[in-house]
Amino acid sequence: MVQTAPSPAATVEAAPRRDEFVRAFRVMLLARLLDEKFASLYRAGKIHGGVFLGKGQEALSVAVGQSLCPGDIFAPLIRDQAGRLAFGETILDAVRTYMGSPLGPMRGRDGNVHRGKPREGYLPMISHLGAMISVVNGALLGRRFQGKTGAVGATCLGEGGTSTGAFHESLNQAAIERLPLVLVVADNQYAYSTPSSQQFACRALVDKAVGYGVTGHSVDGTDLEACLQTVGAAVARARAGSGPQLIVAHLLRLCGHGEHDDAGYIDPKLKQSPLGRDCLKVAEEFLLQNQWADAKSIETWRAEKIKNIEEAVAIVQREPTPDPFKEDWRALASEHLGELRSENP
Amino acid sequence: MVQTAPSPAATVEAAPRRDEFVRAFRVMLLARLLDEKFASLYRAGKIHGGVFLGKGQEALSVAVGQSLCPGDIFAPLIRDQAGRLAFGETILDAVRTYMGSPLGPMRGRDGNVHRGKPREGYLPMISHLGAMISVVNGALLGRRFQGKTGAVGATCLGEGGTSTGAFHESLNQAAIERLPLVLVVADNQYAYSTPSSQQFACRALVDKAVGYGVTGHSVDGTDLEACLQTVGAAVARARAGSGPQLIVAHLLRLCGHGEHDDAGYIDPKLKQSPLGRDCLKVAEEFLLQNQWADAKSIETWRAEKIKNIEEAVAIVQREPTPDPFKEDWRALASEHLGELRSENP
Amino acid sequence: MSITYLEAIREAQARALADDPRVYIYGQDVGAFGGAFKATKNLAQEFPGRVLNAPISEDAIIGSAVGAAIEGMRPIIEMQFADFSTVGFNQIVNQAATLFWRTQVPCPITIRLPFGGTSGSGPFHSQCIEAIYAHYPGIIVLTPATVEDAYSMLLEAVAIDDPVIFCEHKYLYYHLKADRLPTEAMPVGKARIARAGRDLTIVAYSAMVHEALAVAEELVSEGAEIEVVDLRSVKPLDTDTVIASVARTGRLLCVGEAWPWGGVTAEVIARVATEGFGLLDAPPQRLNAKDTPVPYHPNLWSTHRPTARSIAVAARNLLGL
Amino acid sequence: MSITYLEAIREAQARALADDPRVYIYGQDVGAFGGAFKATKNLAQEFPGRVLNAPISEDAIIGSAVGAAIEGMRPIIEMQFADFSTVGFNQIVNQAATLFWRTQVPCPITIRLPFGGTSGSGPFHSQCIEAIYAHYPGIIVLTPATVEDAYSMLLEAVAIDDPVIFCEHKYLYYHLKADRLPTEAMPVGKARIARAGRDLTIVAYSAMVHEALAVAEELVSEGAEIEVVDLRSVKPLDTDTVIASVARTGRLLCVGEAWPWGGVTAEVIARVATEGFGLLDAPPQRLNAKDTPVPYHPNLWSTHRPTARSIAVAARNLLGL
Ligand SMILES: Cc1ncc(C[n+]2csc(CCOP(=O)(O)OP(=O)(O)O)c2C)c(N)n1
Ligand SMILES: Cc1ncc(C[n+]2csc(CCOP(=O)(O)OP(=O)(O)O)c2C)c(N)n1
Ligand SMILES: [Mg+2]
Ligand SMILES: [Mg+2]
């Protein structure tokens, strides 16, 4: 897959590490480019509703998606384009959901980041922060009831989301049941406009772990290699039966809360600090430095991914839009228990 | 107040300590006797609905009520008869609420442990566990807005209540706003029938404090002197501006969840362990040992309190019961915005 | 042999656990203790590992049920009291209720809500909140009024591929007895003519069915034949049966133990008025609890909710007696 | 000069803060940022220390407002979206709503819910959930439809001694403009005849008022004079004004953007059917959103909710046009 010849520095032991890194980098790149495409479609008025990007969070996110195996469970959040792709989401599904295509997994009923395929262990978030964690717990419990072992469930949250009662109840629930849950918190310094100082008062978010009796991990979210290692280790621990793992990654959101937001409130000092580094650039430099890839291959990858994205967008733009007259307008699986009265005709 | 002559052991410095202890003991005794009266009224079918006792928790509870000053805020929970009395509740108010008297603070509209006088800083619990903490926060915030300083807000919870989202959100909220909140958790080993092992998985509940950035305190809840000291110190810290204080007391519930419950599920080993000691007996022995009181005075106190209780019950039993035709059946303070349609005539 | 409404609920759960390995029970104190009301008595012992105590975390309890349902399980969740479901509200109305519509993956969870007033239980252990769930799309809300329905509808609830709010009335738990469990049952979604009559239709559900039946009995001596319709399920609501009854009687009184604004009685009257207007010989009437929290003292409580006494007054008014 | 519905809400808050030292604002991002919709723009700067950012803790946000109210404050709480109030639900319906009834201590808190559908917002940022609050005793639920009402009713909400759910429609935020802020206003609790007519009464509230007005305008050419009643407040509900209108027109269509079961339309029709039955010349009708979550794609969204198009169909049916 990697198109550069192994550099002298790359020993035999380094090869898997390199492969993993390169694989992750390529997904990050794709995620960034796809996010940028969504942003430009948004600016062009081609997307209804909000657009939420993961800029600056790709290293962490890809590490989560890539640490999971088929059969695992993943409930990503709004800034997880990279993790979604790494877990197996297709570009087409992402574009279809943003554009509201009836052929996408949400069929135009739900949109943007609210997408998933529950049957494939890929859970579609609802908007209420913290609400997906217990759903992952339940999926893991379900597996346990069925005697299926070995699977891990991962889910992502912002530091703002840790203030929800749902976060607390579900992490505690996972701890009591000793579920293989990996809860990944991206402390990106802001919840919308609210700085972390107005969100929690503990010295470090990871200090919460001890109060639940779960393992805590802290990681530099701008450093892909660190993310791969920390998340990989946490997933392995969970899989091995060590119970829930809480990962807190430190980084900065490098975009607005959504594309409608210019994020003028972000402290410039933070942008200049190590937290403000762009994980994609850092990873690219690392690649080049280690000669795990050269500039040309990176350009090739980029071009290739842009092509893939443009193709997907072109396909979706030719697809029909949802037809309200073909909708069954039924919220129940039990057809015979539906009601169709006093509604909009 | 103390009717025994100072023992030789009681030095001048010990006098305030002794007075505090004796005062607390007498309230504990009253609380226990009042609880017992409620239990016997319940068995006699004279109380509608449940009866919830604080047996085994009086030392902790009284320490909370007694550590507060007039002007402070207190939101007790179901096992806080002692704390309520120490904070200034009258026997009559307690009896009236249990009996549903229209002359009580809840006027028969609410009953048993759901009582308080918000205007006096004494907040009436709703049943939903954890829900009172943020109300205390808000009262403290209100004081802050009004420039009133120096007050502390205390509230009580069981270890089971720490599993609620409300506990988490409100403790975090208090920490962010650095409110003078004292949150007292009685880890009495069970939430109804559920043992602590099925309620949380951290090694010690007090380990939660660090995750909120608040001060944690741990105390033997069967030891009155320890409770007075620990709670007193925490209240003083809160008052001095050190932000929220989380106290976790270890003890055992020495009664059923309610009087309908024989608590057959309680592990006999726990009953035999130090946790299972009866704080009232321990305090009584301590009194006698230190010669801070003799058996005779304790008997006198007991008789006196029984008399007070019987008098109160006799009064309440002669009081009218609520008259539905005198009720205004209005849930709104804004009379002009009420509606009276399609209701039960 | 005789079996109570509460025992019927236990038996239905025992049978569901026995018949279907996908069923499990989760809730506070439902394990070895058998639940606050003993609705799961001995089930943990009879079905080891399938009846789990939960922490006091209603949000996480419901959320986890959705996750397990996605994986093919059929959880039965016990809320200790219906009133406490308000802290799990979001997971019910936004997570469970939307799953199928959003993803085509069914969400077969049954949430048992011990609900309704009993004397001395006060504002937070007495509520009838079926309407707030029925208002949301994607949820089925059942309100069995008999021992037989408690049993058969709970079994059906577990089999239904959607979230079911199962409102079991605490007053009926011990007060209602039957000789045996039913072997066949009306399907969910169908209302039942609890008593036939031709002068007035009283539509009721849950505990109020029994108050209505008492009134029907009482008013016989005054020459009135009252038909009592037991809704059984408030969502879906069997408008056809209600309207057919009104077609026979020409008069409608709808009784609910819940608060007035937007409750079952509003929905029933709105349906009859819009779809069966011409059948009404007199204005339809409704009777609800008073619009205040549920009071603690029995004197107040028995005035707050409709009773045979107040229903009889309304019925006589409607009948011109 | 022209002022939007959203600006009116900002101005009302500015004035409340200026006039009454007991008022403060608390909610996510309401501080320096000015709120997700900019409804508190510059207020933190203009009123230092009185406009506070909250953590993502709806339960604690509402609970704390109740505590502050007990101490004599008059908090204004902003929920970022109405849909997220479901995680603060318990504190609203069980804590705030019961305080006065239980203790005689008033609970003057205003909870602002940016609510209602906008294109592309999907199932969790579009909901109309006024009915679940109106169902509970002890709560006032306001639904201003005009810039003037947004301003005056919000000011009145802050002055009211009870918990007020203030439903501000996100679609109206930018779409609705007025020349100036009102200097006098109708009181809360009174409905408004938004347009007089004699053939049909359309009862609506919030954004639907404008759809109804468009229909009234449109049907003039077909010879129909439609009266439009803007409820303004859904609890209390001004039944008298509605019934007086029906007395004039004989026909009633009630329109709501919420789900059908037990919504405002059910309550209005139930009231008119029970109290104004004889005034109706035809069965009353109602029109609601479809009984599914609110869809994301504009094609679906605009079919899910009532619009001038679908209201016109229903109106023509009722008028026999
Ligand atoms: C319960 C709840 N309240 C409010 C919101 C509105 N909201 C959406 S995203 C957001 C900020 C989230 O911040 P954080 O969790 O730090 O994640 P980030 O956006 O920084 O990735 C808020 C308040 C919500 N989605 N859910
Ligand atoms: C949110 C909520 N869920 C459930 C209940 C029902 N309930 C009342 S007391 C109780 C057990 C409480 O245990 P704990 O907090 O340990 O207090 P303790 O009774 O031991 O003093 C439960 C589950 C409740 N009151 N509130
Ligand atoms: Mg953040
Ligand atoms: Mg306990």
Side-chain angles (χ1 to χ4, degrees), chain A residues 107 109-110 125 138 143 146 173 333-334 339 341, chain C residues 26 59 64 71 95 101-102 162 237 271 275:
Chain A
R107 297 162 299 147
R109 295 183 176 187
D110 208 341
M125 61 176 277
R143 298 279 179 94
Q146 294 161 357
Q173 179 183 55
S334 320
E339 299 195 293
R341 296 181 189 257
Chain C
Y26 189 48
D59 184 280
S64 72
E71 292 295 314
Q95 187 87 261
W101 186 81
R102 293 167 75 227
D162 290 293
L237 200 157
R271 292 194 188 195
E275 300 176 40

PDB file of all heavy atoms in Angstrom, chain A residues 107 109-110 125 138 143 146 173 333-334 339 341, chain C residues 26 59 64 71 95 101-102 162 237 271 275:
ATOM      1  N   ARG A 107     -31.687   7.964   4.400  1.00  0.00           N
ATOM      2  CA  ARG A 107     -32.748   8.173   3.408  1.00  0.00           C
ATOM      3  C   ARG A 107     -33.373   9.568   3.431  1.00  0.00           C
ATOM      4  O   ARG A 107     -34.564   9.721   3.146  1.00  0.00           O
ATOM      5  CB  ARG A 107     -33.830   7.106   3.607  1.00  0.00           C
ATOM      6  CG  ARG A 107     -33.290   5.695   3.376  1.00  0.00           C
ATOM      7  CD  ARG A 107     -34.190   4.645   3.967  1.00  0.00           C
ATOM      8  NE  ARG A 107     -34.287   4.846   5.410  1.00  0.00           N
ATOM      9  CZ  ARG A 107     -35.351   4.600   6.139  1.00  0.00           C
ATOM     10  NH1 ARG A 107     -36.436   4.127   5.569  1.00  0.00           N
ATOM     11  NH2 ARG A 107     -35.351   4.813   7.435  1.00  0.00           N
ATOM     12  N   ARG A 109     -34.146  11.181   5.899  1.00  0.00           N
ATOM     13  CA  ARG A 109     -34.921  11.401   7.128  1.00  0.00           C
ATOM     14  C   ARG A 109     -34.064  12.104   8.174  1.00  0.00           C
ATOM     15  O   ARG A 109     -34.519  12.974   8.887  1.00  0.00           O
ATOM     16  CB  ARG A 109     -35.430  10.070   7.670  1.00  0.00           C
ATOM     17  CG  ARG A 109     -36.428   9.422   6.727  1.00  0.00           C
ATOM     18  CD  ARG A 109     -36.963   8.137   7.319  1.00  0.00           C
ATOM     19  NE  ARG A 109     -37.994   7.570   6.456  1.00  0.00           N
ATOM     20  CZ  ARG A 109     -38.734   6.520   6.777  1.00  0.00           C
ATOM     21  NH1 ARG A 109     -38.557   5.903   7.931  1.00  0.00           N
ATOM     22  NH2 ARG A 109     -39.638   6.066   5.939  1.00  0.00           N
ATOM     23  N   ASP A 110     -32.827  11.653   8.259  1.00  0.00           N
ATOM     24  CA  ASP A 110     -31.909  12.368   9.132  1.00  0.00           C
ATOM     25  C   ASP A 110     -30.702  12.753   8.279  1.00  0.00           C
ATOM     26  O   ASP A 110     -30.538  12.246   7.165  1.00  0.00           O
ATOM     27  CB  ASP A 110     -31.509  11.514  10.342  1.00  0.00           C
ATOM     28  CG  ASP A 110     -31.155  12.386  11.548  1.00  0.00           C
ATOM     29  OD1 ASP A 110     -30.874  13.585  11.346  1.00  0.00           O
ATOM     30  OD2 ASP A 110     -31.162  11.876  12.672  1.00  0.00           O
ATOM     31  N   MET A 125     -25.643   8.652  15.850  1.00  0.00           N
ATOM     32  CA  MET A 125     -25.846   9.537  16.997  1.00  0.00           C
ATOM     33  C   MET A 125     -27.200  10.224  16.956  1.00  0.00           C
ATOM     34  O   MET A 125     -27.701  10.578  15.880  1.00  0.00           O
ATOM     35  CB  MET A 125     -24.743  10.601  17.061  1.00  0.00           C
ATOM     36  CG  MET A 125     -24.682  11.523  15.847  1.00  0.00           C
ATOM     37  SD  MET A 125     -23.436  12.847  15.990  1.00  0.00           S
ATOM     38  CE  MET A 125     -24.345  14.082  16.949  1.00  0.00           C
ATOM     39  N   GLY A 138     -25.389  -0.967  26.064  1.00  0.00           N
ATOM     40  CA  GLY A 138     -26.443  -1.945  25.852  1.00  0.00           C
ATOM     41  C   GLY A 138     -26.108  -2.917  24.740  1.00  0.00           C
ATOM     42  O   GLY A 138     -26.401  -4.115  24.834  1.00  0.00           O
ATOM     43  N   ARG A 143     -24.471  -8.389  23.428  1.00  0.00           N
ATOM     44  CA  ARG A 143     -23.491  -9.392  22.996  1.00  0.00           C
ATOM     45  C   ARG A 143     -23.181 -10.371  24.136  1.00  0.00           C
ATOM     46  O   ARG A 143     -23.079 -11.577  23.924  1.00  0.00           O
ATOM     47  CB  ARG A 143     -22.191  -8.701  22.589  1.00  0.00           C
ATOM     48  CG  ARG A 143     -22.326  -7.744  21.420  1.00  0.00           C
ATOM     49  CD  ARG A 143     -22.312  -8.485  20.094  1.00  0.00           C
ATOM     50  NE  ARG A 143     -22.476  -7.527  19.006  1.00  0.00           N
ATOM     51  CZ  ARG A 143     -21.450  -6.970  18.330  1.00  0.00           C
ATOM     52  NH1 ARG A 143     -20.209  -7.295  18.623  1.00  0.00           N
ATOM     53  NH2 ARG A 143     -21.691  -6.104  17.360  1.00  0.00           N
ATOM     54  N   GLN A 146     -25.715 -12.891  24.582  1.00  0.00           N
ATOM     55  CA  GLN A 146     -25.714 -13.854  23.486  1.00  0.00           C
ATOM     56  C   GLN A 146     -24.458 -14.717  23.482  1.00  0.00           C
ATOM     57  O   GLN A 146     -24.258 -15.520  22.577  1.00  0.00           O
ATOM     58  CB  GLN A 146     -25.863 -13.106  22.153  1.00  0.00           C
ATOM     59  CG  GLN A 146     -27.235 -12.427  22.029  1.00  0.00           C
ATOM     60  CD  GLN A 146     -27.263 -11.320  20.975  1.00  0.00           C
ATOM     61  OE1 GLN A 146     -26.233 -11.016  20.363  1.00  0.00           O
ATOM     62  NE2 GLN A 146     -28.419 -10.715  20.794  1.00  0.00           N
ATOM     63  N   GLN A 173     -22.392   2.936  34.603  1.00  0.00           N
ATOM     64  CA  GLN A 173     -23.039   1.677  34.216  1.00  0.00           C
ATOM     65  C   GLN A 173     -22.033   0.713  33.594  1.00  0.00           C
ATOM     66  O   GLN A 173     -21.993  -0.475  33.924  1.00  0.00           O
ATOM     67  CB  GLN A 173     -24.163   1.982  33.218  1.00  0.00           C
ATOM     68  CG  GLN A 173     -24.914   0.782  32.690  1.00  0.00           C
ATOM     69  CD  GLN A 173     -25.952   1.196  31.658  1.00  0.00           C
ATOM     70  OE1 GLN A 173     -25.626   1.863  30.670  1.00  0.00           O
ATOM     71  NE2 GLN A 173     -27.195   0.832  31.878  1.00  0.00           N
ATOM     72  N   ALA A 333     -42.346   0.150  13.566  1.00  0.00           N
ATOM     73  CA  ALA A 333     -42.043  -1.072  12.822  1.00  0.00           C
ATOM     74  C   ALA A 333     -43.306  -1.923  12.690  1.00  0.00           C
ATOM     75  O   ALA A 333     -43.479  -2.635  11.704  1.00  0.00           O
ATOM     76  CB  ALA A 333     -40.946  -1.857  13.544  1.00  0.00           C
ATOM     77  N   SER A 334     -44.170  -1.838  13.682  1.00  0.00           N
ATOM     78  CA  SER A 334     -45.402  -2.641  13.680  1.00  0.00           C
ATOM     79  C   SER A 334     -46.445  -1.944  12.829  1.00  0.00           C
ATOM     80  O   SER A 334     -47.198  -1.095  13.332  1.00  0.00           O
ATOM     81  CB  SER A 334     -45.953  -2.784  15.100  1.00  0.00           C
ATOM     82  OG  SER A 334     -44.925  -2.971  16.031  1.00  0.00           O
ATOM     83  N   GLU A 339     -51.174   4.656  13.219  1.00  0.00           N
ATOM     84  CA  GLU A 339     -52.393   5.468  13.161  1.00  0.00           C
ATOM     85  C   GLU A 339     -52.182   6.501  12.080  1.00  0.00           C
ATOM     86  O   GLU A 339     -51.104   7.056  11.957  1.00  0.00           O
ATOM     87  CB  GLU A 339     -52.589   6.232  14.468  1.00  0.00           C
ATOM     88  CG  GLU A 339     -52.734   5.359  15.674  1.00  0.00           C
ATOM     89  CD  GLU A 339     -53.280   6.185  16.817  1.00  0.00           C
ATOM     90  OE1 GLU A 339     -52.571   7.080  17.280  1.00  0.00           O
ATOM     91  OE2 GLU A 339     -54.417   5.938  17.216  1.00  0.00           O
ATOM     92  N   ARG A 341     -54.334   9.541  11.486  1.00  0.00           N
ATOM     93  CA  ARG A 341     -55.480  10.420  11.642  1.00  0.00           C
ATOM     94  C   ARG A 341     -54.996  11.807  12.013  1.00  0.00           C
ATOM     95  O   ARG A 341     -53.940  11.974  12.569  1.00  0.00           O
ATOM     96  CB  ARG A 341     -56.383   9.900  12.756  1.00  0.00           C
ATOM     97  CG  ARG A 341     -56.979   8.537  12.416  1.00  0.00           C
ATOM     98  CD  ARG A 341     -57.879   8.078  13.547  1.00  0.00           C
ATOM     99  NE  ARG A 341     -58.289   6.704  13.332  1.00  0.00           N
ATOM    100  CZ  ARG A 341     -59.481   6.347  12.891  1.00  0.00           C
ATOM    101  NH1 ARG A 341     -60.386   7.245  12.608  1.00  0.00           N
ATOM    102  NH2 ARG A 341     -59.779   5.069  12.729  1.00  0.00           N
TER     103      ARG A 341
ATOM    104  N   TYR C  26     -34.289  -5.592  33.365  1.00  0.00           N
ATOM    105  CA  TYR C  26     -33.279  -4.681  33.928  1.00  0.00           C
ATOM    106  C   TYR C  26     -34.003  -3.550  34.634  1.00  0.00           C
ATOM    107  O   TYR C  26     -34.939  -2.968  34.074  1.00  0.00           O
ATOM    108  CB  TYR C  26     -32.413  -4.161  32.777  1.00  0.00           C
ATOM    109  CG  TYR C  26     -31.178  -3.361  33.145  1.00  0.00           C
ATOM    110  CD1 TYR C  26     -30.276  -3.789  34.113  1.00  0.00           C
ATOM    111  CD2 TYR C  26     -30.887  -2.167  32.474  1.00  0.00           C
ATOM    112  CE1 TYR C  26     -29.120  -3.052  34.408  1.00  0.00           C
ATOM    113  CE2 TYR C  26     -29.733  -1.428  32.756  1.00  0.00           C
ATOM    114  CZ  TYR C  26     -28.859  -1.878  33.727  1.00  0.00           C
ATOM    115  OH  TYR C  26     -27.722  -1.155  34.010  1.00  0.00           O
ATOM    116  N   ASP C  59     -31.588   7.250  32.738  1.00  0.00           N
ATOM    117  CA  ASP C  59     -31.151   7.571  31.388  1.00  0.00           C
ATOM    118  C   ASP C  59     -30.325   6.410  30.819  1.00  0.00           C
ATOM    119  O   ASP C  59     -30.568   5.934  29.708  1.00  0.00           O
ATOM    120  CB  ASP C  59     -30.339   8.882  31.416  1.00  0.00           C
ATOM    121  CG  ASP C  59     -29.919   9.355  30.038  1.00  0.00           C
ATOM    122  OD1 ASP C  59     -28.929   8.824  29.497  1.00  0.00           O
ATOM    123  OD2 ASP C  59     -30.578  10.260  29.504  1.00  0.00           O
ATOM    124  N   SER C  64     -29.304   1.821  27.426  1.00  0.00           N
ATOM    125  CA  SER C  64     -28.707   0.497  27.241  1.00  0.00           C
ATOM    126  C   SER C  64     -29.721  -0.483  26.659  1.00  0.00           C
ATOM    127  O   SER C  64     -29.354  -1.386  25.896  1.00  0.00           O
ATOM    128  CB  SER C  64     -28.135  -0.026  28.566  1.00  0.00           C
ATOM    129  OG  SER C  64     -29.159  -0.397  29.457  1.00  0.00           O
ATOM    130  N   GLU C  71     -28.959  -5.092  19.078  1.00  0.00           N
ATOM    131  CA  GLU C  71     -28.248  -6.366  18.944  1.00  0.00           C
ATOM    132  C   GLU C  71     -29.189  -7.569  18.977  1.00  0.00           C
ATOM    133  O   GLU C  71     -28.730  -8.712  19.080  1.00  0.00           O
ATOM    134  CB  GLU C  71     -27.191  -6.485  20.036  1.00  0.00           C
ATOM    135  CG  GLU C  71     -26.043  -5.494  19.888  1.00  0.00           C
ATOM    136  CD  GLU C  71     -25.221  -5.744  18.620  1.00  0.00           C
ATOM    137  OE1 GLU C  71     -24.887  -6.913  18.347  1.00  0.00           O
ATOM    138  OE2 GLU C  71     -24.938  -4.768  17.898  1.00  0.00           O
ATOM    139  N   GLN C  95     -34.337   8.644  21.653  1.00  0.00           N
ATOM    140  CA  GLN C  95     -33.454   7.552  21.220  1.00  0.00           C
ATOM    141  C   GLN C  95     -34.300   6.350  20.772  1.00  0.00           C
ATOM    142  O   GLN C  95     -34.293   5.991  19.602  1.00  0.00           O
ATOM    143  CB  GLN C  95     -32.536   7.152  22.385  1.00  0.00           C
ATOM    144  CG  GLN C  95     -31.456   6.150  22.047  1.00  0.00           C
ATOM    145  CD  GLN C  95     -30.187   6.820  21.517  1.00  0.00           C
ATOM    146  OE1 GLN C  95     -29.965   6.882  20.288  1.00  0.00           O
ATOM    147  NE2 GLN C  95     -29.363   7.334  22.401  1.00  0.00           N
ATOM    148  N   TRP C 101     -37.558   4.617  12.710  1.00  0.00           N
ATOM    149  CA  TRP C 101     -37.843   5.571  11.637  1.00  0.00           C
ATOM    150  C   TRP C 101     -36.562   6.050  10.965  1.00  0.00           C
ATOM    151  O   TRP C 101     -36.506   6.206   9.746  1.00  0.00           O
ATOM    152  CB  TRP C 101     -38.617   6.760  12.214  1.00  0.00           C
ATOM    153  CG  TRP C 101     -39.089   7.723  11.178  1.00  0.00           C
ATOM    154  CD1 TRP C 101     -40.187   7.607  10.389  1.00  0.00           C
ATOM    155  CD2 TRP C 101     -38.447   8.941  10.810  1.00  0.00           C
ATOM    156  NE1 TRP C 101     -40.269   8.694   9.563  1.00  0.00           N
ATOM    157  CE2 TRP C 101     -39.232   9.525   9.789  1.00  0.00           C
ATOM    158  CE3 TRP C 101     -37.301   9.598  11.241  1.00  0.00           C
ATOM    159  CZ2 TRP C 101     -38.892  10.742   9.198  1.00  0.00           C
ATOM    160  CZ3 TRP C 101     -36.964  10.801  10.671  1.00  0.00           C
ATOM    161  CH2 TRP C 101     -37.749  11.365   9.658  1.00  0.00           C
ATOM    162  N   ARG C 102     -35.526   6.235  11.761  1.00  0.00           N
ATOM    163  CA  ARG C 102     -34.277   6.730  11.200  1.00  0.00           C
ATOM    164  C   ARG C 102     -33.500   5.637  10.472  1.00  0.00           C
ATOM    165  O   ARG C 102     -32.824   5.907   9.482  1.00  0.00           O
ATOM    166  CB  ARG C 102     -33.403   7.335  12.302  1.00  0.00           C
ATOM    167  CG  ARG C 102     -33.989   8.608  12.916  1.00  0.00           C
ATOM    168  CD  ARG C 102     -33.266   8.996  14.188  1.00  0.00           C
ATOM    169  NE  ARG C 102     -31.958   9.571  13.954  1.00  0.00           N
ATOM    170  CZ  ARG C 102     -30.848   9.216  14.604  1.00  0.00           C
ATOM    171  NH1 ARG C 102     -30.882   8.273  15.523  1.00  0.00           N
ATOM    172  NH2 ARG C 102     -29.703   9.801  14.331  1.00  0.00           N
ATOM    173  N   ASP C 162     -41.563  -2.512  18.600  1.00  0.00           N
ATOM    174  CA  ASP C 162     -41.410  -1.083  18.856  1.00  0.00           C
ATOM    175  C   ASP C 162     -41.324  -0.849  20.359  1.00  0.00           C
ATOM    176  O   ASP C 162     -41.713  -1.721  21.139  1.00  0.00           O
ATOM    177  CB  ASP C 162     -42.620  -0.327  18.280  1.00  0.00           C
ATOM    178  CG  ASP C 162     -42.615  -0.325  16.765  1.00  0.00           C
ATOM    179  OD1 ASP C 162     -41.721   0.307  16.179  1.00  0.00           O
ATOM    180  OD2 ASP C 162     -43.487  -0.993  16.163  1.00  0.00           O
ATOM    181  N   LEU C 237     -54.905   4.318  19.456  1.00  0.00           N
ATOM    182  CA  LEU C 237     -56.192   4.491  20.113  1.00  0.00           C
ATOM    183  C   LEU C 237     -57.250   3.975  19.145  1.00  0.00           C
ATOM    184  O   LEU C 237     -57.277   4.365  17.977  1.00  0.00           O
ATOM    185  CB  LEU C 237     -56.361   5.988  20.389  1.00  0.00           C
ATOM    186  CG  LEU C 237     -57.357   6.419  21.460  1.00  0.00           C
ATOM    187  CD1 LEU C 237     -56.975   7.799  21.962  1.00  0.00           C
ATOM    188  CD2 LEU C 237     -58.756   6.418  20.931  1.00  0.00           C
ATOM    189  N   ARG C 271     -61.094  13.169  18.521  1.00  0.00           N
ATOM    190  CA  ARG C 271     -61.349  12.199  17.434  1.00  0.00           C
ATOM    191  C   ARG C 271     -62.835  12.004  17.180  1.00  0.00           C
ATOM    192  O   ARG C 271     -63.278  11.948  16.038  1.00  0.00           O
ATOM    193  CB  ARG C 271     -60.705  10.861  17.776  1.00  0.00           C
ATOM    194  CG  ARG C 271     -59.198  10.967  17.764  1.00  0.00           C
ATOM    195  CD  ARG C 271     -58.561   9.618  17.762  1.00  0.00           C
ATOM    196  NE  ARG C 271     -57.114   9.782  17.933  1.00  0.00           N
ATOM    197  CZ  ARG C 271     -56.233   8.831  17.692  1.00  0.00           C
ATOM    198  NH1 ARG C 271     -56.637   7.642  17.278  1.00  0.00           N
ATOM    199  NH2 ARG C 271     -54.947   9.053  17.867  1.00  0.00           N
ATOM    200  N   GLU C 275     -64.446  12.992  13.736  1.00  0.00           N
ATOM    201  CA  GLU C 275     -64.804  11.871  12.866  1.00  0.00           C
ATOM    202  C   GLU C 275     -66.212  11.343  13.095  1.00  0.00           C
ATOM    203  O   GLU C 275     -66.715  10.592  12.265  1.00  0.00           O
ATOM    204  CB  GLU C 275     -63.797  10.729  13.045  1.00  0.00           C
ATOM    205  CG  GLU C 275     -62.369  11.148  12.709  1.00  0.00           C
ATOM    206  CD  GLU C 275     -61.369  10.034  12.975  1.00  0.00           C
ATOM    207  OE1 GLU C 275     -61.687   8.861  12.678  1.00  0.00           O
ATOM    208  OE2 GLU C 275     -60.270  10.337  13.481  1.00  0.00           O
TER     209      GLU C 275
END
